[in-house]
Amino acid sequence: MLTSMRMPRRSVRLRLTTLYGILFFISGGLLLAAVTGVTVSSSTSVARVPGHPARAVPPLPPGPSSVNSSVSHQLIIASFIGLGIMTVVSLGLGWLVAGRALRPVRTMTAAAQQISEHNLNERLAVTGPKDELKELGDTFDGLLQRLETAFNAQRRFVANASHELRTPLTTMRASLDVALAKPEPVPPQTVALAGRLRVELDRVDRLLEAFLVLARAQHRDLPSTAMQPLDYLVTAALGDQAMPIEAKGLTVRHADSPDGAWVSGSQALLSRLVENVIENAVRHNEDGGWVAISADADSRTARLVVENGGRVLSQRQAEELTQPFRRFGADRTGSDTGSGLGLSIVAAIAEAHGGTVDLAARSGGGLRVTIELPVAPMAGAVGTSSGSAAPARSSG
């Protein structure tokens, strides 16, 4: 009830129109009061006789004077009516004038709403005289320029640092191989230390690979696009996770979609998206737990839902899992917790393809991840003839 009776938004245009109307009404009222005072004073005459007090002249019989008084009275009434009409007219004119004056502001607002971190190269480019509005537009363009420079520098740093750090990792692996390949017997402590170093080097390598994928997704670097069926990507990802699934004794339920839920985009990134969300469901699960996967599509949206059991999370914790390096609970701080970038990469890849990711904490424990992507155009034309083709695998 309160929502339906809510007052309209008090915009700047409405406030300016109201101000114009009030100012016109006040100024017109003052002018009308002055004219009325002059008219009333002129219709009353006073006679003075020398040596006697002033006295009013008695009313004259009906004639020109009474006619003038009637005309003056009618003029006053007509003036009040005219004041009301002109006040209404001034409100309408004020609304038009305020709208025209605020048009550049609306143009800048619409342009600013279309600008995001992915198209910071766009500018407002306000034209017209060099007034306060153009100065505001130029200031905003300068801010966009600085933001674009900062975002590009950040993306270049992540990508370059990830590439450059691969060289010392390769050198360290080669040094370990040379040390263990010497003809003389290698002490057992050295062999154990080399094994631990290899494990840590592999983790660092996976972390750098995750950084590269995240940087590509955030920069919307989609070098090659193709139509991909989500079901085949899920089957491939489950094959990669066969050993961890068997080790934990997980029960996997995979519901295929009738039409394959086709999406269009980068083969490598879409494969990585499905791999990460399924790996997350397997890694952060309990022994003997379960994973449920389903994919479907309608005329506009392809949907992938991955659910898993596990510890109980709050909804706030679940939503924060898309932030880089965000993990919760003891099971996410052990030796096999991953890089903490898995769901961050999923969210970035989905956004790069025009989709969304929704994380929901299950009341009985675990997580539900819902990924929605635009359905591939002409997906029905592909048919099952293309369905036998194996999905492209991510090269990392």
Side-chain angles (χ1 to χ4, degrees), residues 59 68-69 71 121 170 205 211 216 253 269 294 297 311 338 393:
N68 291 337
S69 177
V71 171
N121 60 315
T170 304
D205 193 45
F211 270 128
R216 289 169 55 191
R253 300 190 296 269
L269 291 182
S294 63
R311 63 165 299 209
R393 302 311 315 281

Side-chain angles (χ1 to χ4, degrees), residues 131-346:
D131 52 10
E132 290 83 354
L133 293 177
K134 190 175 189 313
E135 183 178 356
L136 175 62
D138 294 342
T139 302
F140 195 85
D141 285 342
L143 175 62
L144 290 176
Q145 177 65 42
R146 293 191 294 272
L147 285 176
E148 181 185 13
T149 301
F151 270 82
N152 290 337
Q154 179 190 27
R155 290 163 179 159
R156 285 195 301 269
F157 171 78
V158 173
N160 294 337
S162 300
H163 278 298
E164 293 298 327
L165 287 175
R166 287 182 181 273
T167 301
L169 288 178
T170 304
T171 303
M172 295 170 69
R173 284 197 180 90
S175 300
L176 286 176
D177 294 337
V178 171
L180 294 177
K182 290 183 178 180
E184 60 269 14
V186 181
Q189 297 86 350
T190 303
V191 176
L193 178 60
R196 291 193 59 183
L197 287 176
R198 284 183 181 277
V199 171
E200 297 302 322
L201 287 174
D202 290 340
R203 292 184 62 182
V204 174
D205 193 45
R206 288 195 298 269
L207 179 62
L208 292 178
E209 180 185 0
F211 270 128
L212 281 173
V213 175
L214 183 61
R216 289 169 55 191
Q218 290 179 339
H219 196 56
R220 301 201 174 192
D221 183 12
L222 309 178
S224 61
T225 60
M227 296 179 63
Q228 297 288 309
L230 286 179
D231 284 325
Y232 292 141
L233 297 180
V234 169
T235 301
L238 288 175
D240 291 340
Q241 294 294 314
M243 292 182 61
I245 290 174
E246 183 179 358
K248 285 192 172 186
L250 302 179
T251 300
V252 179
R253 300 190 296 269
H254 178 201
D256 294 332
S257 62
D259 57 359
W262 289 79
V263 295
S264 178
S266 168
Q267 298 179 357
L269 291 182
L270 288 175
S271 297
R272 187 60 179 267
L273 177 146
V274 177
E275 291 170 3
N276 278 18
V277 71
I278 293 179
E279 179 184 1
N280 182 81
V282 172
R283 183 188 299 272
H284 304 296
N285 211 321
E286 54 189 3
D287 293 340
W290 57 272
V291 178
I293 306 170
S294 63
D296 58 52
D298 53 29
S299 59
R300 300 181 59 183
T301 303
R303 187 177 297 100
L304 175 66
V305 180
V306 179
E307 298 183 74
N308 65 276
R311 63 165 299 209
V312 177
L313 298 175
S314 67
Q315 182 59 31
R316 181 187 63 83
Q317 290 175 325
E319 293 172 352
E320 290 179 354
L321 290 177
T322 55
Q323 300 179 13
F325 306 109
R326 187 57 60 101
R327 295 184 288 260
F328 294 99
D331 61 328
R332 293 179 180 267
T333 57
S335 59
D336 190 28
T337 59
S339 63
L341 292 173
L343 292 180
S344 302
I345 293 174
V346 169

